[in-house]
Amino acid sequence: MPTRHDGRAPDTLRPVAIDLDPPSSAAGKAMISAGNTVVLCTASIDDDVPPWMAGRGRGWVTAEYSMLPGSTGDRKRRDRGPKLDGRTSEIQRLIGRSLRAAVNLEGLGERTVTVDCDVLRADGGTRTASITGAFVALVRALDTVGAASAAITSSVAAVSVGVVDGTPVLDLDYPEDVRAEVDMNVVTTGEGEFIEVQGTGEGATFSRGQLDGMLELAGVGIEQLTALQKRTLGERWPL
């Protein structure tokens, strides 16, 4: 089995850890590290909903995503004003969709949960790490109002896969991401049900066999990430 530039096998995640005590005053918080990528995820609860949802007896879950200026080698400019960078907008919508797929909005009641994912250090896989950490922050926030068991219907985690030098690999870091012939992000529930698959050939095509291989690798990774979420939350695991 070929090894990668950091010594990992193709089917191996980077070292992943979730810290439940990062510096934050939010109702729910978690800091996830995947290799050198670090994301602070916080979840805040408001006792109202957007105007278009008022009176329906349902809640809402939304997300915001940001790469802090010092998260990359060259300073990342902050998003300011009403118009977000296209990549930022796309990622935060992905995070929101992913979390809502795991939530019974009626069980949430007329509350809005906003999950903020702030990238402290970026080395590939920031969107997938954000989703995995955001779920933990979401559960912790809902636990503070006694709504976790009623609102959470499944767990959610995400991981990147790709084809690098002709080999399908799991959990790409930045050096692999920029060289990948195929780059894919996979979001599933803990039961393996797909929420979203984003796959792109980077100047190349990929076969059905490669696609199946990448999805299988993603399943291996997400199973491990789900187990980490469960261990981290312990008795707060809502499922």
Side-chain angles (χ1 to χ4, degrees):
M1 182 178 290
T3 57
R4 297 151 74 175
H5 75 97
D6 57 2
R8 285 185 291 152
D11 61 352
T12 303
L13 292 169
R14 291 174 288 178
V16 186
I18 300 176
D19 176 10
L20 291 183
D21 195 29
S24 171
S25 299
K29 56 187 178 179
M31 186 162 66
I32 184 168
S33 60
N36 289 323
T37 289
V38 182
V39 185
L40 174 63
C41 303
T42 57
S44 305
I45 300 178
D46 293 315
D47 290 325
D48 58 13
V49 292
W52 53 272
M53 290 195 69
R56 299 186 186 183
R58 307 174 71 208
W60 189 245
V61 178
T62 188
E64 295 191 8
Y65 168 94
S66 177
M67 291 181 64
L68 298 188
S71 61
T72 58
D74 295 328
R75 182 181 184 276
K76 173 73 170 64
R77 296 185 64 180
R78 296 183 189 272
D79 283 318
R80 297 186 184 276
K83 185 173 177 59
L84 293 176
D85 171 84
R87 178 180 180 274
T88 297
S89 179
E90 184 265 324
I91 291 175
Q92 63 187 34
R93 291 176 67 185
L94 168 65
I95 298 168
R97 287 194 303 271
S98 300
L99 296 176
R100 288 192 296 273
V103 173
N104 174 2
L105 297 179
E106 284 80 8
L108 182 57
E110 291 206 359
R111 301 183 179 100
T112 297
V113 184
T114 302
V115 181
D116 290 282
C117 298
D118 293 300
V119 179
L120 307 183
R121 187 169 61 203
D123 187 34
T126 62
R127 75 184 66 194
T128 53
S130 293
I131 292 167
T132 302
F135 175 75
V136 174
L138 173 66
V139 171
R140 296 193 73 200
L142 293 178
D143 191 56
T144 66
V145 294
S149 60
I152 300 294
T153 59
S154 64
S155 62
V156 173
V159 75
S160 65
V161 287
V163 176
V164 180
D165 297 331
T167 301
V169 295
L170 174 66
D171 191 17
L172 284 66
D173 61 13
Y174 182 74
E176 292 176 322
D177 186 58
V178 297
R179 292 173 44 233
E181 298 102 73
V182 181
D183 182 23
M184 182 174 292
N185 299 299
V186 180
V187 188
T188 80
T189 68
E191 296 77 34
E193 294 291 315
F194 291 105
I195 297 171
E196 190 141 350
V197 177
Q198 301 178 333
T200 305
E202 302 286 352
T205 60
F206 53 98
S207 68
R208 175 61 181 268
Q210 287 176 313
L211 173 61
D212 291 343
M214 286 186 287
L215 293 177
E216 183 175 347
L217 278 179
V220 169
I222 289 176
E223 183 176 349
Q224 296 174 46
L225 293 170
T226 302
L228 173 61
Q229 291 171 324
K230 186 173 183 178
R231 288 196 306 271
T232 301
L233 286 167
E235 63 183 17
R236 291 189 176 95
W237 184 252
L239 301 167

